[in-house]
mmCIF file of all heavy atoms in Angstrom:
data_model
loop_
_atom_site.group_PDB
_atom_site.id
_atom_site.type_symbol
_atom_site.label_atom_id
_atom_site.label_comp_id
_atom_site.label_asym_id
_atom_site.label_seq_id
_atom_site.Cartn_x
_atom_site.Cartn_y
_atom_site.Cartn_z
ATOM 1 N N ARG T 293 -13.469 -17.022 -13.514
ATOM 2 C CA ARG T 293 -13.603 -16.529 -12.147
ATOM 3 C C ARG T 293 -15.008 -15.972 -11.932
ATOM 4 O O ARG T 293 -15.662 -16.259 -10.930
ATOM 5 C CB ARG T 293 -12.577 -15.419 -11.897
ATOM 6 C CG ARG T 293 -12.615 -14.839 -10.500
ATOM 7 C CD ARG T 293 -11.689 -13.632 -10.378
ATOM 8 N NE ARG T 293 -12.069 -12.537 -11.251
ATOM 9 C CZ ARG T 293 -12.984 -11.639 -10.962
ATOM 10 N NH1 ARG T 293 -13.615 -11.671 -9.818
ATOM 11 N NH2 ARG T 293 -13.290 -10.694 -11.820
ATOM 12 N N LYS T 294 -15.480 -15.199 -12.904
ATOM 13 C CA LYS T 294 -16.802 -14.582 -12.759
ATOM 14 C C LYS T 294 -17.905 -15.623 -12.678
ATOM 15 O O LYS T 294 -18.783 -15.526 -11.826
ATOM 16 C CB LYS T 294 -17.075 -13.642 -13.937
ATOM 17 C CG LYS T 294 -16.321 -12.342 -13.862
ATOM 18 C CD LYS T 294 -16.679 -11.461 -15.041
ATOM 19 C CE LYS T 294 -15.942 -10.137 -14.957
ATOM 20 N NZ LYS T 294 -16.303 -9.267 -16.076
ATOM 21 N N GLN T 297 -17.865 -17.408 -9.426
ATOM 22 C CA GLN T 297 -18.341 -16.540 -8.347
ATOM 23 C C GLN T 297 -19.872 -16.541 -8.309
ATOM 24 O O GLN T 297 -20.471 -16.641 -7.242
ATOM 25 C CB GLN T 297 -17.814 -15.120 -8.593
ATOM 26 C CG GLN T 297 -18.146 -14.125 -7.498
ATOM 27 C CD GLN T 297 -17.322 -14.368 -6.242
ATOM 28 O OE1 GLN T 297 -16.106 -14.443 -6.301
ATOM 29 N NE2 GLN T 297 -17.985 -14.512 -5.112
ATOM 30 N N THR T 298 -20.455 -16.411 -9.476
ATOM 31 C CA THR T 298 -21.915 -16.400 -9.537
ATOM 32 C C THR T 298 -22.485 -17.694 -8.989
ATOM 33 O O THR T 298 -23.411 -17.688 -8.171
ATOM 34 C CB THR T 298 -22.372 -16.219 -11.001
ATOM 35 O OG1 THR T 298 -21.700 -15.084 -11.535
ATOM 36 C CG2 THR T 298 -23.872 -16.012 -11.085
ATOM 37 N N ASP T 301 -21.992 -17.896 -5.167
ATOM 38 C CA ASP T 301 -22.887 -17.004 -4.438
ATOM 39 C C ASP T 301 -24.296 -17.566 -4.363
ATOM 40 O O ASP T 301 -24.984 -17.430 -3.345
ATOM 41 C CB ASP T 301 -22.907 -15.617 -5.094
ATOM 42 C CG ASP T 301 -21.654 -14.821 -4.760
ATOM 43 O OD1 ASP T 301 -20.834 -15.322 -3.972
ATOM 44 O OD2 ASP T 301 -21.492 -13.705 -5.289
ATOM 45 N N ASN T 308 -27.814 -19.739 3.392
ATOM 46 C CA ASN T 308 -28.255 -18.695 4.323
ATOM 47 C C ASN T 308 -29.763 -18.718 4.505
ATOM 48 O O ASN T 308 -30.274 -18.554 5.611
ATOM 49 C CB ASN T 308 -27.820 -17.311 3.823
ATOM 50 C CG ASN T 308 -26.324 -17.088 4.006
ATOM 51 O OD1 ASN T 308 -25.671 -17.812 4.750
ATOM 52 N ND2 ASN T 308 -25.782 -16.105 3.314
ATOM 53 N N SER T 311 -30.825 -21.838 6.508
ATOM 54 C CA SER T 311 -30.421 -21.718 7.912
ATOM 55 C C SER T 311 -31.403 -20.865 8.692
ATOM 56 O O SER T 311 -31.727 -21.165 9.838
ATOM 57 C CB SER T 311 -29.026 -21.102 8.015
ATOM 58 O OG SER T 311 -28.083 -21.963 7.457
ATOM 59 N N LYS T 330 -31.675 -29.751 7.452
ATOM 60 C CA LYS T 330 -30.237 -29.853 7.731
ATOM 61 C C LYS T 330 -29.555 -30.738 6.698
ATOM 62 O O LYS T 330 -28.468 -30.441 6.227
ATOM 63 C CB LYS T 330 -30.018 -30.454 9.123
ATOM 64 C CG LYS T 330 -30.049 -29.445 10.228
ATOM 65 C CD LYS T 330 -29.460 -30.086 11.472
ATOM 66 C CE LYS T 330 -29.838 -29.302 12.711
ATOM 67 N NZ LYS T 330 -29.333 -29.965 13.931
ATOM 68 N N VAL T 333 -28.992 -28.868 3.564
ATOM 69 C CA VAL T 333 -27.872 -27.924 3.649
ATOM 70 C C VAL T 333 -26.542 -28.655 3.485
ATOM 71 O O VAL T 333 -25.651 -28.186 2.773
ATOM 72 C CB VAL T 333 -27.881 -27.166 4.992
ATOM 73 C CG1 VAL T 333 -26.618 -26.337 5.146
ATOM 74 C CG2 VAL T 333 -29.091 -26.270 5.096
ATOM 75 N N LYS T 337 -23.722 -27.782 0.874
ATOM 76 C CA LYS T 337 -22.403 -27.410 1.377
ATOM 77 C C LYS T 337 -21.301 -28.165 0.653
ATOM 78 O O LYS T 337 -20.231 -27.628 0.388
ATOM 79 C CB LYS T 337 -22.308 -27.677 2.875
ATOM 80 C CG LYS T 337 -21.890 -26.428 3.599
ATOM 81 C CD LYS T 337 -21.661 -26.639 5.046
ATOM 82 C CE LYS T 337 -20.725 -25.559 5.531
ATOM 83 N NZ LYS T 337 -20.494 -25.646 6.954
ATOM 84 N N LYS T 348 -10.749 -20.391 -5.627
ATOM 85 C CA LYS T 348 -9.473 -19.979 -5.040
ATOM 86 C C LYS T 348 -8.325 -20.252 -5.996
ATOM 87 O O LYS T 348 -7.423 -19.427 -6.176
ATOM 88 C CB LYS T 348 -9.232 -20.751 -3.740
ATOM 89 C CG LYS T 348 -9.621 -19.971 -2.512
ATOM 90 C CD LYS T 348 -9.196 -20.722 -1.255
ATOM 91 C CE LYS T 348 -9.964 -20.200 -0.051
ATOM 92 N NZ LYS T 348 -9.878 -21.103 1.096
ATOM 93 N N ARG T 625 -6.065 3.938 -3.160
ATOM 94 C CA ARG T 625 -7.143 4.521 -3.973
ATOM 95 C C ARG T 625 -7.589 5.883 -3.465
ATOM 96 O O ARG T 625 -7.177 6.330 -2.421
ATOM 97 C CB ARG T 625 -8.331 3.557 -3.973
ATOM 98 C CG ARG T 625 -8.035 2.272 -4.721
ATOM 99 C CD ARG T 625 -8.938 1.153 -4.293
ATOM 100 N NE ARG T 625 -8.806 0.876 -2.878
ATOM 101 C CZ ARG T 625 -9.505 -0.030 -2.236
ATOM 102 N NH1 ARG T 625 -10.411 -0.733 -2.856
ATOM 103 N NH2 ARG T 625 -9.313 -0.212 -0.958
ATOM 104 N N LYS T 627 -11.265 8.739 -3.792
ATOM 105 C CA LYS T 627 -12.638 8.891 -4.272
ATOM 106 C C LYS T 627 -12.682 10.039 -5.266
ATOM 107 O O LYS T 627 -12.249 11.150 -4.950
ATOM 108 C CB LYS T 627 -13.560 9.190 -3.093
ATOM 109 C CG LYS T 627 -13.965 7.948 -2.332
ATOM 110 C CD LYS T 627 -15.371 8.110 -1.784
ATOM 111 C CE LYS T 627 -15.660 7.081 -0.701
ATOM 112 N NZ LYS T 627 -15.841 5.738 -1.224
ATOM 113 P P G D 1338 -27.768 -15.944 19.163
ATOM 114 O OP1 G D 1338 -27.011 -14.688 19.207
ATOM 115 O OP2 G D 1338 -28.659 -16.307 20.262
ATOM 116 O "O5'" G D 1338 -28.572 -15.972 17.795
ATOM 117 C "C5'" G D 1338 -27.920 -15.566 16.584
ATOM 118 C "C4'" G D 1338 -28.916 -15.619 15.440
ATOM 119 O "O4'" G D 1338 -29.144 -16.994 15.045
ATOM 120 C "C3'" G D 1338 -30.273 -15.039 15.770
ATOM 121 O "O3'" G D 1338 -30.756 -14.404 14.600
ATOM 122 C "C2'" G D 1338 -31.127 -16.260 16.113
ATOM 123 O "O2'" G D 1338 -32.489 -16.066 15.767
ATOM 124 C "C1'" G D 1338 -30.521 -17.331 15.204
ATOM 125 N N9 G D 1338 -30.510 -18.682 15.744
ATOM 126 C C8 G D 1338 -30.552 -19.083 17.041
ATOM 127 N N7 G D 1338 -30.452 -20.384 17.171
ATOM 128 C C5 G D 1338 -30.338 -20.857 15.872
ATOM 129 C C6 G D 1338 -30.197 -22.168 15.369
ATOM 130 O O6 G D 1338 -30.113 -23.229 16.003
ATOM 131 N N1 G D 1338 -30.117 -22.193 13.984
ATOM 132 C C2 G D 1338 -30.175 -21.084 13.183
ATOM 133 N N2 G D 1338 -30.080 -21.301 11.880
ATOM 134 N N3 G D 1338 -30.304 -19.845 13.627
ATOM 135 C C4 G D 1338 -30.383 -19.809 14.980
ATOM 136 P P U D 1367 -16.787 2.788 0.108
ATOM 137 O OP1 U D 1367 -16.019 3.841 -0.575
ATOM 138 O OP2 U D 1367 -18.173 2.498 -0.285
ATOM 139 O "O5'" U D 1367 -15.951 1.430 0.031
ATOM 140 C "C5'" U D 1367 -14.573 1.433 0.371
ATOM 141 C "C4'" U D 1367 -14.078 0.025 0.414
ATOM 142 O "O4'" U D 1367 -14.743 -0.703 1.478
ATOM 143 C "C3'" U D 1367 -14.387 -0.820 -0.807
ATOM 144 O "O3'" U D 1367 -13.521 -0.532 -1.885
ATOM 145 C "C2'" U D 1367 -14.194 -2.231 -0.247
ATOM 146 O "O2'" U D 1367 -12.826 -2.520 -0.079
ATOM 147 C "C1'" U D 1367 -14.843 -2.075 1.127
ATOM 148 N N1 U D 1367 -16.263 -2.483 1.120
ATOM 149 C C2 U D 1367 -16.538 -3.832 1.255
ATOM 150 O O2 U D 1367 -15.659 -4.662 1.375
ATOM 151 N N3 U D 1367 -17.867 -4.163 1.243
ATOM 152 C C4 U D 1367 -18.925 -3.299 1.102
ATOM 153 O O4 U D 1367 -20.071 -3.753 1.120
ATOM 154 C C5 U D 1367 -18.568 -1.922 0.954
ATOM 155 C C6 U D 1367 -17.281 -1.563 0.967
ATOM 156 P P A D 1368 -14.044 -0.727 -3.352
ATOM 157 O OP1 A D 1368 -13.026 -0.114 -4.217
ATOM 158 O OP2 A D 1368 -15.450 -0.323 -3.471
ATOM 159 O "O5'" A D 1368 -13.970 -2.305 -3.513
ATOM 160 C "C5'" A D 1368 -12.716 -2.959 -3.455
ATOM 161 C "C4'" A D 1368 -12.928 -4.444 -3.404
ATOM 162 O "O4'" A D 1368 -13.684 -4.785 -2.209
ATOM 163 C "C3'" A D 1368 -13.779 -5.011 -4.536
ATOM 164 O "O3'" A D 1368 -13.043 -5.184 -5.714
ATOM 165 C "C2'" A D 1368 -14.218 -6.343 -3.924
ATOM 166 O "O2'" A D 1368 -13.165 -7.274 -3.919
ATOM 167 C "C1'" A D 1368 -14.497 -5.909 -2.481
ATOM 168 N N9 A D 1368 -15.913 -5.537 -2.286
ATOM 169 C C8 A D 1368 -16.477 -4.292 -2.271
ATOM 170 N N7 A D 1368 -17.776 -4.296 -2.054
ATOM 171 C C5 A D 1368 -18.075 -5.646 -1.928
ATOM 172 C C6 A D 1368 -19.278 -6.325 -1.691
ATOM 173 N N6 A D 1368 -20.463 -5.719 -1.528
ATOM 174 N N1 A D 1368 -19.244 -7.671 -1.624
ATOM 175 C C2 A D 1368 -18.066 -8.285 -1.786
ATOM 176 N N3 A D 1368 -16.858 -7.758 -2.017
ATOM 177 C C4 A D 1368 -16.932 -6.422 -2.068
ATOM 178 P P U D 1369 -13.765 -5.061 -7.110
ATOM 179 O OP1 U D 1369 -12.697 -5.000 -8.109
ATOM 180 O OP2 U D 1369 -14.799 -4.016 -7.061
ATOM 181 O "O5'" U D 1369 -14.511 -6.463 -7.239
ATOM 182 C "C5'" U D 1369 -13.764 -7.663 -7.322
ATOM 183 C "C4'" U D 1369 -14.684 -8.834 -7.123
ATOM 184 O "O4'" U D 1369 -15.333 -8.721 -5.833
ATOM 185 C "C3'" U D 1369 -15.860 -8.908 -8.086
ATOM 186 O "O3'" U D 1369 -15.488 -9.438 -9.342
ATOM 187 C "C2'" U D 1369 -16.794 -9.831 -7.327
ATOM 188 O "O2'" U D 1369 -16.336 -11.165 -7.371
ATOM 189 C "C1'" U D 1369 -16.631 -9.301 -5.902
ATOM 190 N N1 U D 1369 -17.644 -8.269 -5.570
ATOM 191 C C2 U D 1369 -18.897 -8.713 -5.189
ATOM 192 O O2 U D 1369 -19.200 -9.890 -5.135
ATOM 193 N N3 U D 1369 -19.810 -7.727 -4.883
ATOM 194 C C4 U D 1369 -19.584 -6.369 -4.924
ATOM 195 O O4 U D 1369 -20.499 -5.600 -4.622
ATOM 196 C C5 U D 1369 -18.268 -5.977 -5.331
ATOM 197 C C6 U D 1369 -17.358 -6.925 -5.634
ATOM 198 P P C D 1370 -16.300 -8.989 -10.628
ATOM 199 O OP1 C D 1370 -15.546 -9.507 -11.785
ATOM 200 O OP2 C D 1370 -16.649 -7.564 -10.562
ATOM 201 O "O5'" C D 1370 -17.651 -9.823 -10.486
ATOM 202 C "C5'" C D 1370 -17.626 -11.235 -10.542
ATOM 203 C "C4'" C D 1370 -18.994 -11.773 -10.198
ATOM 204 O "O4'" C D 1370 -19.363 -11.314 -8.867
ATOM 205 C "C3'" C D 1370 -20.136 -11.267 -11.065
ATOM 206 O "O3'" C D 1370 -20.211 -11.969 -12.286
ATOM 207 C "C2'" C D 1370 -21.334 -11.541 -10.171
ATOM 208 O "O2'" C D 1370 -21.656 -12.912 -10.147
ATOM 209 C "C1'" C D 1370 -20.776 -11.139 -8.805
ATOM 210 N N1 C D 1370 -21.081 -9.738 -8.450
ATOM 211 C C2 C D 1370 -22.387 -9.419 -8.001
ATOM 212 O O2 C D 1370 -23.226 -10.328 -7.949
ATOM 213 N N3 C D 1370 -22.678 -8.150 -7.656
ATOM 214 C C4 C D 1370 -21.736 -7.202 -7.742
ATOM 215 N N4 C D 1370 -22.074 -5.960 -7.387
ATOM 216 C C5 C D 1370 -20.410 -7.487 -8.200
ATOM 217 C C6 C D 1370 -20.131 -8.756 -8.539
ATOM 218 P P U D 1371 -20.787 -11.237 -13.573
ATOM 219 O OP1 U D 1371 -20.702 -12.221 -14.668
ATOM 220 O OP2 U D 1371 -20.158 -9.912 -13.729
ATOM 221 O "O5'" U D 1371 -22.317 -11.006 -13.200
ATOM 222 C "C5'" U D 1371 -23.210 -12.104 -13.117
ATOM 223 C "C4'" U D 1371 -24.570 -11.608 -12.704
ATOM 224 O "O4'" U D 1371 -24.477 -10.953 -11.420
ATOM 225 C "C3'" U D 1371 -25.165 -10.539 -13.606
ATOM 226 O "O3'" U D 1371 -25.782 -11.121 -14.741
ATOM 227 C "C2'" U D 1371 -26.165 -9.869 -12.683
ATOM 228 O "O2'" U D 1371 -27.355 -10.617 -12.593
ATOM 229 C "C1'" U D 1371 -25.437 -9.917 -11.339
ATOM 230 N N1 U D 1371 -24.761 -8.653 -11.020
ATOM 231 C C2 U D 1371 -25.523 -7.639 -10.463
ATOM 232 O O2 U D 1371 -26.718 -7.759 -10.255
ATOM 233 N N3 U D 1371 -24.857 -6.472 -10.178
ATOM 234 C C4 U D 1371 -23.517 -6.231 -10.387
ATOM 235 O O4 U D 1371 -23.054 -5.129 -10.073
ATOM 236 C C5 U D 1371 -22.795 -7.321 -10.968
ATOM 237 C C6 U D 1371 -23.424 -8.469 -11.253
ATOM 238 P P A D 1379 -30.560 -9.227 -1.367
ATOM 239 O OP1 A D 1379 -31.411 -9.991 -0.439
ATOM 240 O OP2 A D 1379 -29.875 -7.990 -0.906
ATOM 241 O "O5'" A D 1379 -29.458 -10.199 -1.970
ATOM 242 C "C5'" A D 1379 -29.840 -11.458 -2.516
ATOM 243 C "C4'" A D 1379 -28.626 -12.149 -3.077
ATOM 244 O "O4'" A D 1379 -28.073 -11.356 -4.153
ATOM 245 C "C3'" A D 1379 -27.467 -12.297 -2.107
ATOM 246 O "O3'" A D 1379 -27.663 -13.380 -1.231
ATOM 247 C "C2'" A D 1379 -26.299 -12.499 -3.066
ATOM 248 O "O2'" A D 1379 -26.314 -13.798 -3.614
ATOM 249 C "C1'" A D 1379 -26.657 -11.503 -4.169
ATOM 250 N N9 A D 1379 -26.046 -10.185 -3.932
ATOM 251 C C8 A D 1379 -26.651 -9.050 -3.471
ATOM 252 N N7 A D 1379 -25.842 -8.011 -3.388
ATOM 253 C C5 A D 1379 -24.628 -8.504 -3.825
ATOM 254 C C6 A D 1379 -23.358 -7.918 -3.981
ATOM 255 N N6 A D 1379 -23.110 -6.634 -3.698
ATOM 256 N N1 A D 1379 -22.355 -8.691 -4.433
ATOM 257 C C2 A D 1379 -22.612 -9.975 -4.715
ATOM 258 N N3 A D 1379 -23.756 -10.652 -4.619
ATOM 259 C C4 A D 1379 -24.738 -9.848 -4.164
ATOM 260 P P U D 1380 -27.082 -13.300 0.243
ATOM 261 O OP1 U D 1380 -27.579 -14.485 0.962
ATOM 262 O OP2 U D 1380 -27.290 -11.942 0.804
ATOM 263 O "O5'" U D 1380 -25.529 -13.490 -0.031
ATOM 264 C "C5'" U D 1380 -25.040 -14.716 -0.562
ATOM 265 C "C4'" U D 1380 -23.575 -14.587 -0.874
ATOM 266 O "O4'" U D 1380 -23.377 -13.536 -1.859
ATOM 267 C "C3'" U D 1380 -22.701 -14.135 0.288
ATOM 268 O "O3'" U D 1380 -22.421 -15.191 1.171
ATOM 269 C "C2'" U D 1380 -21.465 -13.632 -0.459
ATOM 270 O "O2'" U D 1380 -20.697 -14.705 -0.944
ATOM 271 C "C1'" U D 1380 -22.113 -12.917 -1.644
ATOM 272 N N1 U D 1380 -22.314 -11.486 -1.378
ATOM 273 C C2 U D 1380 -21.208 -10.659 -1.555
ATOM 274 O O2 U D 1380 -20.122 -11.074 -1.908
ATOM 275 N N3 U D 1380 -21.431 -9.333 -1.297
ATOM 276 C C4 U D 1380 -22.617 -8.745 -0.898
ATOM 277 O O4 U D 1380 -22.660 -7.536 -0.712
ATOM 278 C C5 U D 1380 -23.704 -9.669 -0.730
ATOM 279 C C6 U D 1380 -23.513 -10.970 -0.973
ATOM 280 P P A D 1381 -22.229 -14.871 2.720
ATOM 281 O OP1 A D 1381 -22.170 -16.160 3.415
ATOM 282 O OP2 A D 1381 -23.172 -13.833 3.162
ATOM 283 O "O5'" A D 1381 -20.764 -14.228 2.701
ATOM 284 C "C5'" A D 1381 -19.645 -15.008 2.305
ATOM 285 C "C4'" A D 1381 -18.436 -14.130 2.158
ATOM 286 O "O4'" A D 1381 -18.684 -13.121 1.146
ATOM 287 C "C3'" A D 1381 -18.073 -13.308 3.388
ATOM 288 O "O3'" A D 1381 -17.371 -14.088 4.330
ATOM 289 C "C2'" A D 1381 -17.214 -12.211 2.772
ATOM 290 O "O2'" A D 1381 -15.925 -12.680 2.457
ATOM 291 C "C1'" A D 1381 -17.967 -11.945 1.471
ATOM 292 N N9 A D 1381 -18.916 -10.827 1.610
ATOM 293 C C8 A D 1381 -20.272 -10.855 1.833
ATOM 294 N N7 A D 1381 -20.826 -9.666 1.893
ATOM 295 C C5 A D 1381 -19.767 -8.796 1.697
ATOM 296 C C6 A D 1381 -19.678 -7.394 1.644
ATOM 297 N N6 A D 1381 -20.721 -6.576 1.791
ATOM 298 N N1 A D 1381 -18.466 -6.847 1.430
ATOM 299 C C2 A D 1381 -17.410 -7.657 1.283
ATOM 300 N N3 A D 1381 -17.360 -8.985 1.308
ATOM 301 C C4 A D 1381 -18.590 -9.502 1.521
ATOM 302 P P G D 1387 -8.958 -19.375 4.984
ATOM 303 O OP1 G D 1387 -8.922 -20.037 3.668
ATOM 304 O OP2 G D 1387 -10.064 -18.464 5.322
ATOM 305 O "O5'" G D 1387 -8.869 -20.464 6.146
ATOM 306 C "C5'" G D 1387 -8.563 -21.813 5.830
ATOM 307 C "C4'" G D 1387 -8.284 -22.593 7.081
ATOM 308 O "O4'" G D 1387 -7.866 -21.716 8.158
ATOM 309 C "C3'" G D 1387 -9.477 -23.309 7.699
ATOM 310 O "O3'" G D 1387 -9.859 -24.465 6.979
ATOM 311 C "C2'" G D 1387 -8.921 -23.630 9.086
ATOM 312 O "O2'" G D 1387 -7.975 -24.665 9.057
ATOM 313 C "C1'" G D 1387 -8.225 -22.297 9.402
ATOM 314 N N9 G D 1387 -9.158 -21.406 10.109
ATOM 315 C C8 G D 1387 -9.732 -20.250 9.651
ATOM 316 N N7 G D 1387 -10.538 -19.694 10.523
ATOM 317 C C5 G D 1387 -10.502 -20.553 11.614
ATOM 318 C C6 G D 1387 -11.178 -20.488 12.870
ATOM 319 O O6 G D 1387 -11.960 -19.634 13.277
ATOM 320 N N1 G D 1387 -10.855 -21.572 13.684
ATOM 321 C C2 G D 1387 -9.984 -22.583 13.339
ATOM 322 N N2 G D 1387 -9.811 -23.531 14.258
ATOM 323 N N3 G D 1387 -9.365 -22.654 12.183
ATOM 324 C C4 G D 1387 -9.658 -21.610 11.378
ATOM 325 P P G D 1388 -11.427 -24.757 6.853
ATOM 326 O OP1 G D 1388 -11.565 -25.892 5.909
ATOM 327 O OP2 G D 1388 -12.154 -23.499 6.605
ATOM 328 O "O5'" G D 1388 -11.820 -25.247 8.317
ATOM 329 C "C5'" G D 1388 -11.257 -26.446 8.832
ATOM 330 C "C4'" G D 1388 -11.535 -26.577 10.300
ATOM 331 O "O4'" G D 1388 -11.213 -25.342 10.989
ATOM 332 C "C3'" G D 1388 -12.985 -26.799 10.691
ATOM 333 O "O3'" G D 1388 -13.404 -28.127 10.461
ATOM 334 C "C2'" G D 1388 -12.919 -26.483 12.191
ATOM 335 O "O2'" G D 1388 -12.305 -27.520 12.926
ATOM 336 C "C1'" G D 1388 -11.990 -25.266 12.180
ATOM 337 N N9 G D 1388 -12.752 -24.005 12.189
ATOM 338 C C8 G D 1388 -12.875 -23.077 11.184
ATOM 339 N N7 G D 1388 -13.626 -22.056 11.510
ATOM 340 C C5 G D 1388 -14.030 -22.332 12.813
ATOM 341 C C6 G D 1388 -14.855 -21.594 13.705
ATOM 342 O O6 G D 1388 -15.416 -20.513 13.515
ATOM 343 N N1 G D 1388 -15.009 -22.251 14.931
ATOM 344 C C2 G D 1388 -14.444 -23.451 15.256
ATOM 345 N N2 G D 1388 -14.706 -23.924 16.469
ATOM 346 N N3 G D 1388 -13.658 -24.139 14.438
ATOM 347 C C4 G D 1388 -13.502 -23.535 13.247
ATOM 348 P P U D 1390 -19.300 -30.190 12.689
ATOM 349 O OP1 U D 1390 -19.790 -31.548 13.022
ATOM 350 O OP2 U D 1390 -18.741 -29.908 11.347
ATOM 351 O "O5'" U D 1390 -20.471 -29.147 12.943
ATOM 352 C "C5'" U D 1390 -21.221 -29.204 14.151
ATOM 353 C "C4'" U D 1390 -22.173 -28.049 14.201
ATOM 354 O "O4'" U D 1390 -21.416 -26.806 14.253
ATOM 355 C "C3'" U D 1390 -23.043 -27.873 12.963
ATOM 356 O "O3'" U D 1390 -24.147 -28.765 12.968
ATOM 357 C "C2'" U D 1390 -23.456 -26.413 13.089
ATOM 358 O "O2'" U D 1390 -24.473 -26.253 14.052
ATOM 359 C "C1'" U D 1390 -22.158 -25.776 13.623
ATOM 360 N N1 U D 1390 -21.350 -25.197 12.525
ATOM 361 C C2 U D 1390 -21.596 -23.870 12.184
ATOM 362 O O2 U D 1390 -22.430 -23.191 12.751
ATOM 363 N N3 U D 1390 -20.849 -23.391 11.141
ATOM 364 C C4 U D 1390 -19.891 -24.076 10.430
ATOM 365 O O4 U D 1390 -19.294 -23.496 9.519
ATOM 366 C C5 U D 1390 -19.685 -25.430 10.843
ATOM 367 C C6 U D 1390 -20.399 -25.925 11.851
ATOM 368 P P C D 1391 -24.577 -29.497 11.636
ATOM 369 O OP1 C D 1391 -25.715 -30.385 11.958
ATOM 370 O OP2 C D 1391 -23.362 -30.018 10.988
ATOM 371 O "O5'" C D 1391 -25.126 -28.294 10.744
ATOM 372 C "C5'" C D 1391 -25.436 -28.488 9.365
ATOM 373 C "C4'" C D 1391 -26.275 -27.335 8.888
ATOM 374 O "O4'" C D 1391 -27.570 -27.387 9.521
ATOM 375 C "C3'" C D 1391 -25.738 -25.961 9.262
ATOM 376 O "O3'" C D 1391 -24.748 -25.515 8.352
ATOM 377 C "C2'" C D 1391 -27.001 -25.104 9.188
ATOM 378 O "O2'" C D 1391 -27.355 -24.799 7.862
ATOM 379 C "C1'" C D 1391 -28.032 -26.067 9.773
ATOM 380 N N1 C D 1391 -28.198 -25.890 11.228
ATOM 381 C C2 C D 1391 -28.889 -24.755 11.701
ATOM 382 O O2 C D 1391 -29.309 -23.922 10.887
ATOM 383 N N3 C D 1391 -29.070 -24.583 13.016
ATOM 384 C C4 C D 1391 -28.587 -25.497 13.866
ATOM 385 N N4 C D 1391 -28.780 -25.283 15.174
ATOM 386 C C5 C D 1391 -27.894 -26.643 13.423
ATOM 387 C C6 C D 1391 -27.717 -26.811 12.102
ATOM 388 P P G D 1392 -23.481 -24.781 8.896
ATOM 389 O OP1 G D 1392 -22.674 -24.399 7.729
ATOM 390 O OP2 G D 1392 -22.878 -25.576 9.984
ATOM 391 O "O5'" G D 1392 -24.117 -23.459 9.518
ATOM 392 C "C5'" G D 1392 -24.565 -22.429 8.629
ATOM 393 C "C4'" G D 1392 -25.185 -21.301 9.409
ATOM 394 O "O4'" G D 1392 -26.253 -21.823 10.231
ATOM 395 C "C3'" G D 1392 -24.268 -20.627 10.416
ATOM 396 O "O3'" G D 1392 -23.446 -19.669 9.778
ATOM 397 C "C2'" G D 1392 -25.267 -19.994 11.373
ATOM 398 O "O2'" G D 1392 -25.819 -18.815 10.826
ATOM 399 C "C1'" G D 1392 -26.346 -21.080 11.427
ATOM 400 N N9 G D 1392 -26.156 -21.977 12.561
ATOM 401 C C8 G D 1392 -25.667 -23.258 12.539
ATOM 402 N N7 G D 1392 -25.623 -23.809 13.720
ATOM 403 C C5 G D 1392 -26.103 -22.835 14.574
ATOM 404 C C6 G D 1392 -26.294 -22.851 15.975
ATOM 405 O O6 G D 1392 -26.060 -23.771 16.780
ATOM 406 N N1 G D 1392 -26.796 -21.648 16.444
ATOM 407 C C2 G D 1392 -27.094 -20.565 15.660
ATOM 408 N N2 G D 1392 -27.573 -19.492 16.289
ATOM 409 N N3 G D 1392 -26.931 -20.535 14.348
ATOM 410 C C4 G D 1392 -26.440 -21.697 13.878
#
Side-chain angles (χ1 to χ4, degrees):
Chain T
R293 181 187 62 84
K294 285 182 179 181
Q297 184 73 53
T298 308
D301 284 356
N308 286 344
S311 295
K330 274 195 197 177
V333 172
K337 235 185 156 177
K348 262 187 199 164
R625 292 158 301 178
K627 279 213 196 287

